[in-house]
Amino acid sequence: MSKYVILLALMALALHCDARRFTRCGLVQELRRQGFDECLMSNWVCLVENESGRFTDKIGKVNKNGSRDYGLFQIKDKGCCSTGHSWKDCHVTCLQLLTDDISVAATCAKKIYKRHKFDAWYG
């Protein structure tokens, strides 16, 4: 196991106390506050419920392609967030996607959606 994965796991445990699980209504309110398109709101809620169960600190199991998913929107470390020193598309570390302040994760999710629509997620 690489030292970055171990460090990431330890930091995620430390951040766990800052994480939260949104209620469905609370999630809708927060997505509105973050500027998500009202016409797509049901799609975003469905995505979040199926990807992370509405937990902000969720770290997914390793995917078939070796990637791992992070946070409320389950954003992949391959191409989107960084577990090391090189920046990816969203210019954030994967740890920044695990907090109860979802502004960083929301900005990244909207950027991914703009490029790939909902095809970027399985949920």
Side-chain angles (χ1 to χ4, degrees):
M1 193 183 268
S2 82
K3 64 182 176 183
Y4 293 115
V5 173
I6 294 170
L7 178 62
L8 182 64
L10 291 173
M11 291 179 80
L13 287 172
L15 288 173
H16 184 74
C17 62
D18 290 336
R20 68 188 277 197
R21 182 172 195 225
F22 282 97
T23 64
R24 185 175 288 166
C25 290
L27 176 62
V28 170
Q29 290 172 346
E30 184 62 22
L31 294 177
R32 284 179 177 147
R33 197 173 77 72
Q34 295 294 332
F36 281 82
D37 186 345
E38 193 70 35
C39 295
L40 297 172
M41 191 61 66
S42 62
N43 297 76
W44 283 109
V45 170
C46 182
L47 180 140
V48 168
E49 287 184 340
N50 285 287
E51 290 285 344
S52 68
R54 300 189 312 265
F55 285 97
T56 59
D57 66 340
K58 171 110 187 249
I59 299 176
K61 296 178 182 175
V62 176
N63 298 312
K64 291 178 184 177
N65 66 0
S67 68
R68 193 176 288 264
D69 305 329
Y70 294 86
L72 190 67
F73 299 97
Q74 289 295 277
I75 294 170
K76 291 184 183 1
D77 59 5
K78 286 203 173 185
C80 295
C81 68
S82 176
T83 56
H85 298 290
S86 62
W87 289 111
K88 308 280 176 97
D89 283 352
C90 287
H91 298 282
V92 298
T93 66
C94 297
L95 289 177
Q96 290 175 285
L97 304 174
L98 299 176
T99 65
D100 65 345
D101 175 359
I102 70 160
S103 56
V104 170
T107 299
C108 185
K110 287 187 277 187
K111 184 174 190 175
I112 294 166
Y113 176 80
K114 191 173 185 177
R115 288 186 182 171
H116 306 286
K117 304 298 182 214
F118 288 111
D119 293 334
W121 291 275
Y122 294 111

